[in-house]
Amino acid sequence: MDKEDRPPPSWVGDVSLGVQAWVGDTSPTPAEASPSRPRKKGRGRGRTKTPAEREESRAASAAARAAEVEADPEGVGRTILLDTLTGQARTRKELADKLAKREVPDDVAVELLDRFTEIGLIDDSAFAQQWVESRHRSRGLAPRALAQELRRKGVGDEEAKAALEQIDEDDQRTAARALVDKKMRSMRGLDPQVATRRLAGLLARKGYGAGLAFSVVREALAESDDQHVTDDIEMPED
């Protein structure tokens, strides 16, 4: 899967300092607590571990992480949230999944998520607005495709609906035409029916309905050197 084009939140920066001050946490940073050791010269790479050794190492790491969570579940959970949020916004569901994966107790996870929501570091409405604007602008996605992405990320129907309202039909037509024009650069001399099918399929994958997609494709082909536009094509249903 391609790396997602995540919208930067309005609070981009080192959020950990503000949150640590808010929660009264003055513990040293990982860099301060565990200064890096200078690498010894002349030492080459160690031998490759056997599968059994790698499995043993993974088990030891998992046990260490579990012990860390058991000793200080709130501290571990807060660190996970800060690390995940620094530099990019996330939905509450995404963060909850992160905490669950590290086996942070449910009650602790809910309390932390509520705190972060209270101070504005978790805001699904703002995330949805930024996500829709960014993905529509950079990838040309239509509301239908964007709605599916927001649903997978755990954004509620009301928040998603409000975010999608910022894209009107003119915006969709403009974005769809830009996608078609870009694709047509590599389709010179192609049979009009084949070109129509490929362009319509492109727009369908981006979430555009059949009516708008076919209208944009016909318009683009009519304005190109290939004047013979065909209606003999099976368009995807809305």
Side-chain angles (χ1 to χ4, degrees):
M1 182 175 181
D2 293 339
K3 184 176 181 180
E4 295 179 333
D5 180 16
R6 289 191 175 275
S10 57
W11 42 265
V12 165
D14 188 358
V15 301
S16 60
L17 297 179
V19 175
Q20 286 174 357
W22 175 71
V23 298
D25 181 11
T26 58
S27 57
T29 63
E32 294 170 339
S34 302
S36 59
R37 297 179 181 178
R39 180 179 295 180
K40 294 182 180 180
K41 296 182 179 180
R43 293 186 61 182
R45 297 179 61 183
R47 67 178 179 81
T48 303
K49 293 182 178 180
T50 65
E53 289 173 331
R54 287 196 295 269
E55 181 60 31
E56 183 179 355
S57 178
R58 284 193 291 266
S61 297
R65 289 194 298 269
E68 184 182 10
V69 172
E70 185 176 359
D72 184 12
E74 183 175 345
V76 171
R78 185 165 60 245
T79 298
I80 292 171
L81 294 180
L82 290 172
D83 289 345
T84 305
L85 285 168
T86 299
Q88 60 185 9
R90 299 277 190 174
T91 65
R92 182 176 177 118
K93 178 183 182 300
E94 289 179 308
L95 295 168
D97 290 344
K98 285 273 188 180
L99 295 176
K101 186 175 181 180
R102 283 291 306 274
E103 299 183 353
V104 174
D106 291 344
D107 57 336
V108 174
V110 170
E111 183 177 353
L112 286 169
L113 292 169
D114 287 345
R115 289 184 190 175
F116 275 59
T117 300
E118 179 184 342
I119 62 174
L121 293 181
I122 302 175
D123 187 338
D124 283 2
S125 295
F127 175 92
Q129 291 284 340
Q130 295 163 359
W131 183 267
V132 166
E133 192 279 330
S134 174
R135 298 284 282 179
H136 177 69
R137 172 174 43 81
S138 64
R139 301 290 296 275
L141 297 182
R144 180 162 53 188
L146 291 166
Q148 292 174 351
E149 291 188 342
L150 292 175
R151 192 175 300 112
R152 286 196 297 267
K153 291 182 174 297
V155 175
D157 291 341
E158 291 300 319
E159 290 86 351
K161 180 180 178 181
L164 293 169
E165 287 176 350
Q166 64 186 298
I167 303 176
D168 59 26
E169 188 171 346
D170 289 340
D171 294 329
Q172 293 185 60
R173 177 171 286 274
T174 299
R177 180 59 190 267
L179 290 169
V180 168
D181 288 344
K182 181 178 180 180
K183 183 67 174 177
M184 285 178 61
R185 297 170 192 165
S186 62
M187 299 173 62
R188 297 293 182 185
L190 197 64
D191 178 80
Q193 183 172 358
V194 176
T196 302
R197 185 181 301 110
R198 292 185 181 179
L199 293 170
L202 167 68
L203 295 182
R205 290 191 297 273
K206 295 288 186 177
Y208 292 93
L212 187 147
F214 191 55
S215 173
V216 170
V217 170
R218 282 181 57 86
E219 178 184 90
L221 288 177
E223 295 176 6
S224 71
D225 294 335
D226 301 317
Q227 297 295 325
H228 303 292
V229 184
T230 179
D231 290 319
D232 184 19
I233 182 172
E234 185 176 332
M235 293 292 293
E237 297 181 357
D238 286 331

